[in-house]
PDB file of all heavy atoms in Angstrom:
ATOM      1  N   GLY A   6     -15.473  15.149 -18.584  1.00  0.00           N
ATOM      2  CA  GLY A   6     -16.700  14.370 -18.521  1.00  0.00           C
ATOM      3  C   GLY A   6     -16.632  13.304 -17.453  1.00  0.00           C
ATOM      4  O   GLY A   6     -15.721  13.269 -16.628  1.00  0.00           O
ATOM      5  N   PRO A   8     -16.060   9.595 -15.965  1.00  0.00           N
ATOM      6  CA  PRO A   8     -15.059   8.575 -16.307  1.00  0.00           C
ATOM      7  C   PRO A   8     -15.697   7.414 -17.069  1.00  0.00           C
ATOM      8  O   PRO A   8     -16.831   7.021 -16.794  1.00  0.00           O
ATOM      9  CB  PRO A   8     -14.539   8.117 -14.947  1.00  0.00           C
ATOM     10  CG  PRO A   8     -15.558   8.548 -13.960  1.00  0.00           C
ATOM     11  CD  PRO A   8     -16.284   9.702 -14.540  1.00  0.00           C
ATOM     12  N   TYR A  22      -5.301  -3.351  -5.378  1.00  0.00           N
ATOM     13  CA  TYR A  22      -3.865  -3.582  -5.215  1.00  0.00           C
ATOM     14  C   TYR A  22      -3.340  -2.878  -3.963  1.00  0.00           C
ATOM     15  O   TYR A  22      -2.555  -3.449  -3.202  1.00  0.00           O
ATOM     16  CB  TYR A  22      -3.103  -3.093  -6.450  1.00  0.00           C
ATOM     17  CG  TYR A  22      -1.614  -3.070  -6.248  1.00  0.00           C
ATOM     18  CD1 TYR A  22      -0.892  -4.258  -6.193  1.00  0.00           C
ATOM     19  CD2 TYR A  22      -0.923  -1.876  -6.076  1.00  0.00           C
ATOM     20  CE1 TYR A  22       0.481  -4.249  -5.985  1.00  0.00           C
ATOM     21  CE2 TYR A  22       0.439  -1.861  -5.864  1.00  0.00           C
ATOM     22  CZ  TYR A  22       1.133  -3.044  -5.826  1.00  0.00           C
ATOM     23  OH  TYR A  22       2.485  -3.030  -5.606  1.00  0.00           O
ATOM     24  N   VAL A  34       4.908  -7.522   8.923  1.00  0.00           N
ATOM     25  CA  VAL A  34       5.510  -6.758  10.017  1.00  0.00           C
ATOM     26  C   VAL A  34       4.949  -7.215  11.359  1.00  0.00           C
ATOM     27  O   VAL A  34       5.700  -7.413  12.326  1.00  0.00           O
ATOM     28  CB  VAL A  34       5.299  -5.243   9.802  1.00  0.00           C
ATOM     29  CG1 VAL A  34       5.613  -4.450  11.054  1.00  0.00           C
ATOM     30  CG2 VAL A  34       6.153  -4.767   8.652  1.00  0.00           C
ATOM     31  N   ALA A  36       3.650 -10.159  12.123  1.00  0.00           N
ATOM     32  CA  ALA A  36       4.160 -11.499  12.430  1.00  0.00           C
ATOM     33  C   ALA A  36       5.624 -11.450  12.864  1.00  0.00           C
ATOM     34  O   ALA A  36       6.029 -12.185  13.771  1.00  0.00           O
ATOM     35  CB  ALA A  36       3.997 -12.407  11.214  1.00  0.00           C
ATOM     36  N   ALA A  37       6.407 -10.600  12.227  1.00  0.00           N
ATOM     37  CA  ALA A  37       7.822 -10.501  12.590  1.00  0.00           C
ATOM     38  C   ALA A  37       8.007  -9.981  14.016  1.00  0.00           C
ATOM     39  O   ALA A  37       8.942 -10.398  14.713  1.00  0.00           O
ATOM     40  CB  ALA A  37       8.546  -9.585  11.602  1.00  0.00           C
ATOM     41  N   PRO A  50       6.429  -8.182  30.701  1.00  0.00           N
ATOM     42  CA  PRO A  50       6.128  -6.910  30.029  1.00  0.00           C
ATOM     43  C   PRO A  50       6.501  -6.926  28.542  1.00  0.00           C
ATOM     44  O   PRO A  50       5.788  -6.366  27.723  1.00  0.00           O
ATOM     45  CB  PRO A  50       6.977  -5.887  30.781  1.00  0.00           C
ATOM     46  CG  PRO A  50       7.291  -6.515  32.095  1.00  0.00           C
ATOM     47  CD  PRO A  50       7.296  -7.990  31.867  1.00  0.00           C
ATOM     48  N   LEU A  60       0.907  -4.421  16.419  1.00  0.00           N
ATOM     49  CA  LEU A  60      -0.380  -3.974  15.891  1.00  0.00           C
ATOM     50  C   LEU A  60      -0.336  -2.506  15.509  1.00  0.00           C
ATOM     51  O   LEU A  60      -0.823  -2.115  14.438  1.00  0.00           O
ATOM     52  CB  LEU A  60      -1.482  -4.231  16.916  1.00  0.00           C
ATOM     53  CG  LEU A  60      -2.900  -3.941  16.462  1.00  0.00           C
ATOM     54  CD1 LEU A  60      -3.267  -4.826  15.280  1.00  0.00           C
ATOM     55  CD2 LEU A  60      -3.861  -4.177  17.600  1.00  0.00           C
ATOM     56  N   ALA A  63       1.896  -2.148  12.411  1.00  0.00           N
ATOM     57  CA  ALA A  63       1.217  -2.698  11.238  1.00  0.00           C
ATOM     58  C   ALA A  63       0.124  -1.753  10.748  1.00  0.00           C
ATOM     59  O   ALA A  63      -0.053  -1.576   9.541  1.00  0.00           O
ATOM     60  CB  ALA A  63       0.631  -4.069  11.572  1.00  0.00           C
ATOM     61  N   VAL A  65       0.024   1.549  11.102  1.00  0.00           N
ATOM     62  CA  VAL A  65       0.676   2.703  10.470  1.00  0.00           C
ATOM     63  C   VAL A  65       1.200   2.323   9.085  1.00  0.00           C
ATOM     64  O   VAL A  65       1.034   3.073   8.119  1.00  0.00           O
ATOM     65  CB  VAL A  65       1.810   3.245  11.369  1.00  0.00           C
ATOM     66  CG1 VAL A  65       2.668   4.254  10.631  1.00  0.00           C
ATOM     67  CG2 VAL A  65       1.224   3.841  12.635  1.00  0.00           C
ATOM     68  N   ALA A  69       0.066   3.931   5.469  1.00  0.00           N
ATOM     69  CA  ALA A  69       1.112   4.549   4.647  1.00  0.00           C
ATOM     70  C   ALA A  69       1.198   3.887   3.276  1.00  0.00           C
ATOM     71  O   ALA A  69       1.359   4.577   2.257  1.00  0.00           O
ATOM     72  CB  ALA A  69       2.453   4.461   5.359  1.00  0.00           C
ATOM     73  N   SER A  73       0.411   5.774  -0.220  1.00  0.00           N
ATOM     74  CA  SER A  73       1.482   5.921  -1.214  1.00  0.00           C
ATOM     75  C   SER A  73       1.090   5.327  -2.564  1.00  0.00           C
ATOM     76  O   SER A  73       1.378   5.915  -3.608  1.00  0.00           O
ATOM     77  CB  SER A  73       2.779   5.299  -0.708  1.00  0.00           C
ATOM     78  OG  SER A  73       2.678   3.896  -0.675  1.00  0.00           O
ATOM     79  N   ARG A  77       0.495   7.748  -5.876  1.00  0.00           N
ATOM     80  CA  ARG A  77       1.277   7.464  -7.087  1.00  0.00           C
ATOM     81  C   ARG A  77       0.356   7.236  -8.278  1.00  0.00           C
ATOM     82  O   ARG A  77       0.630   7.686  -9.389  1.00  0.00           O
ATOM     83  CB  ARG A  77       2.172   6.255  -6.851  1.00  0.00           C
ATOM     84  CG  ARG A  77       3.115   5.972  -7.979  1.00  0.00           C
ATOM     85  CD  ARG A  77       3.992   4.808  -7.661  1.00  0.00           C
ATOM     86  NE  ARG A  77       3.222   3.819  -6.889  1.00  0.00           N
ATOM     87  CZ  ARG A  77       3.687   2.661  -6.486  1.00  0.00           C
ATOM     88  NH1 ARG A  77       4.904   2.325  -6.761  1.00  0.00           N
ATOM     89  NH2 ARG A  77       2.942   1.844  -5.809  1.00  0.00           N
ATOM     90  N   PHE A  78      -0.764   6.550  -8.067  1.00  0.00           N
ATOM     91  CA  PHE A  78      -1.720   6.310  -9.145  1.00  0.00           C
ATOM     92  C   PHE A  78      -2.347   7.617  -9.607  1.00  0.00           C
ATOM     93  O   PHE A  78      -2.535   7.833 -10.799  1.00  0.00           O
ATOM     94  CB  PHE A  78      -2.809   5.343  -8.677  1.00  0.00           C
ATOM     95  CG  PHE A  78      -3.893   5.133  -9.688  1.00  0.00           C
ATOM     96  CD1 PHE A  78      -3.652   4.401 -10.828  1.00  0.00           C
ATOM     97  CD2 PHE A  78      -5.154   5.671  -9.495  1.00  0.00           C
ATOM     98  CE1 PHE A  78      -4.646   4.200 -11.766  1.00  0.00           C
ATOM     99  CE2 PHE A  78      -6.157   5.480 -10.421  1.00  0.00           C
ATOM    100  CZ  PHE A  78      -5.904   4.744 -11.566  1.00  0.00           C
TER     101      PHE A  78
END
Side-chain angles (χ1 to χ4, degrees):
Y22 170 72
V34 167
L60 186 61
V65 169
S73 70
R77 186 178 36 178
F78 175 72

